[in-house]
Amino acid sequence: MARNILILGASYGSLLATKFLMAGHNVTLVCRNNTAELINRDGTEVRIKLREEAAHRAIFSRDLPGKLDAATPADVDLSRYDLVGLAMQEPQYSDHAIKVLMIEIAEAKLPCLSIMNMPPLPYLKRIPALAETNLEAAYTNAVVWERFEPGLVSLCSPDPQAFRPPEEPANVLHVGLPTNFKATTFEDEKHNAMLRELEADIDAVKLDGLDVPVKLRVFDSLFVPLAKWSMLLTGNYRCVTLNGPRSIRDAVYDDLSLSQSIYDHVDAIAQRLGADPKDQVPFAKYAKAAESLLKPSSAARAVSSGAPFIERVDLLVKLISHQLGIPNAEIDRTVQTVDQKLNEGIKLPEPARSDALQT
């Protein structure tokens, strides 16, 4: 049975959308009007490298069995959908039109699968050790999440690395690291059955007889997606430096032993929350993958371009580590550096000028 899936965010979200479309499901991407018009006219193009091939394949949505369309937030009819994907950067949910749509999604009680780096607050409420913890300071606007039932929010570890080539139109996405989306289950078994159905459908897809990377993997553990935190704190946020952005590879390999100590500490935080060590990704595997990550992280690029807000998983992990009584000086230093660079980008209004004589 073809599912109808709404995905908020047409950039990174187009990767998950393409996987659903290849499996015969229908997707609506929520985005700005200009991008929606482009996608509705030309579809999307996702470039991905198959394991048996040296060059990237261009996968066009118009050639896939599922149907794709795009809409602005105000034009969404929620009665059409079985599942909502959350694929925007966390600060983007503060946009007024998105906030209105989020209220409607919460009231419709639709299951929401997040592929954000920043876990939605309702998801964290599902973790007993964090249920009563005050983590709102890490969010751009925590009020966005107030109406959501925790059991209706699931989280993927957004391990696949992808970016929009700057010279290409907004409907093109290039996948640099085609790893899997690792999702945890919902509270309702009916929703979990749908997730596992989607998992199986994506797994069965072949392209010219070849397996297609980037699967959806469903886990019963709430903690599998938290494995991404070690990667983000070791690499992505340490791409932000006082002297400008650096690549993820350089952030990891500038001092490999320091990187491993950070990685291990964040793993320890996840385990204090309840993660099983087998839920975590070994540092050696991450370090190997980081060798090919030759660009600064999206967070570092955003800070460098003067963005006033970014996703603050670094701050979230700092808050959790302090509340658990296991702070880490390197994590605190990373948060301080990101804070400083974000503050540098804030342009304060000039004081009012007066031509009156001062006495």
Side-chain angles (χ1 to χ4, degrees):
M1 180 178 67
R3 297 288 185 175
N4 296 313
I5 301 162
L6 182 73
I7 298 180
L8 277 62
S11 181
Y12 194 49
S14 67
L15 173 56
L16 186 60
T18 293
K19 299 300 297 185
F20 288 139
L21 295 167
M22 295 182 83
H25 301 285
N26 306 317
V27 178
T28 298
L29 292 171
V30 177
C31 49
R32 295 185 179 93
N33 186 61
N34 288 345
T35 305
E37 290 178 354
L38 173 64
I39 291 172
N40 286 329
R41 185 183 72 236
D42 298 337
T44 58
E45 176 185 348
V46 172
R47 297 169 183 169
I48 190 167
K49 186 185 290 186
L50 306 191
R51 291 186 178 89
E52 294 84 353
E53 297 182 345
H56 280 68
R57 290 270 196 125
I59 301 174
F60 297 95
S61 61
R62 61 176 177 265
D63 298 331
L64 303 177
K67 296 179 181 179
L68 176 70
D69 69 315
T72 62
D75 293 330
V76 172
D77 175 8
L78 290 176
S79 66
R80 294 175 50 196
Y81 301 102
D82 304 298
L83 177 71
V84 176
L86 304 176
M88 300 190 309
Q89 296 275 327
E90 183 267 332
Q92 293 176 285
Y93 293 88
S94 295
D95 175 84
H96 176 70
I98 293 293
K99 283 194 293 185
V100 172
L101 179 58
M102 292 289 279
I103 290 171
E104 294 171 350
I105 291 170
E107 291 179 346
K109 299 189 184 304
L110 285 167
C112 296
L113 178 66
S114 171
I115 59 169
M116 300 157 55
N117 278 327
M118 190 73 171
L121 261 175
Y123 180 81
L124 294 179
K125 299 297 184 186
R126 295 179 63 187
I127 298 173
L130 298 179
E132 304 300 327
T133 306
N134 184 1
L135 301 172
E136 283 78 2
Y139 290 79
T140 308
N141 185 357
V143 174
V144 170
W145 306 102
E146 282 185 347
R147 297 170 185 252
F148 285 83
E149 293 182 12
L152 289 170
V153 182
S154 180
L155 179 66
C156 276
S157 179
D159 294 349
Q161 302 288 307
F163 63 93
R164 276 181 171 172
E167 70 280 3
E168 299 280 6
N171 61 338
V172 177
L173 189 75
H174 184 95
V175 181
L177 186 64
T179 45
N180 295 327
F181 288 112
K182 293 180 287 190
T184 191
T185 50
F186 296 102
E187 287 185 355
D188 191 323
E189 281 307 314
K190 177 180 67 176
H191 298 146
N192 294 336
M194 176 175 59
L195 263 190
R196 292 198 164 91
E197 169 196 312
L198 293 169
E199 175 186 34
D201 291 347
I202 289 172
D203 204 40
V205 169
K206 302 290 182 184
L207 189 58
D208 295 335
L210 299 176
D211 187 60
V212 184
V214 187
K215 309 288 189 178
L216 176 65
R217 298 296 186 216
V218 180
F219 296 82
D220 291 325
S221 170
L222 287 170
F223 303 99
V224 168
L226 273 55
K228 186 66 183 287
W229 290 1
S230 300
M231 306 175 198
L232 294 170
L233 270 292
T234 304
N236 296 46
Y237 286 97
R238 292 173 67 234
C239 291
V240 180
T241 77
L242 296 178
N243 300 317
R246 59 179 174 175
S247 71
I248 294 177
R249 182 183 67 178
D250 289 347
V252 173
Y253 279 90
D254 183 58
D255 186 334
L256 196 60
S257 62
L258 176 61
S259 293
Q260 180 159 10
S261 72
I262 297 168
Y263 195 95
D264 291 345
H265 190 86
V266 181
D267 270 0
I269 292 170
Q271 289 174 36
R272 280 283 294 272
L273 294 176
D276 190 301
K278 72 175 185 295
D279 292 336
Q280 310 303 111
V281 176
F283 175 74
K285 184 176 181 179
Y286 167 69
K288 179 65 177 176
E291 290 179 354
S292 63
L293 300 178
L294 307 181
K295 297 178 180 294
S297 63
S298 59
R301 296 196 303 271
V303 170
S304 179
S305 67
F309 304 103
I310 64 168
E311 290 186 320
R312 296 301 306 272
V313 182
D314 61 321
L315 178 55
L316 177 67
V317 173
K318 175 189 172 179
L319 292 174
I320 292 171
S321 69
H322 280 254
Q323 293 188 41
L324 291 176
I326 49 173
N328 178 274
E330 289 299 325
I331 292 174
D332 291 356
R333 188 172 295 114
T334 295
V335 171
Q336 183 178 17
T337 299
V338 175
D339 284 345
Q340 182 173 334
K341 295 302 292 185
L342 286 171
N343 289 336
E344 286 176 6
I346 297 174
K347 294 179 172 58
L348 297 176
E350 294 184 7
R353 296 173 61 182
S354 172
D355 293 328
L357 293 175
Q358 302 296 312
T359 58

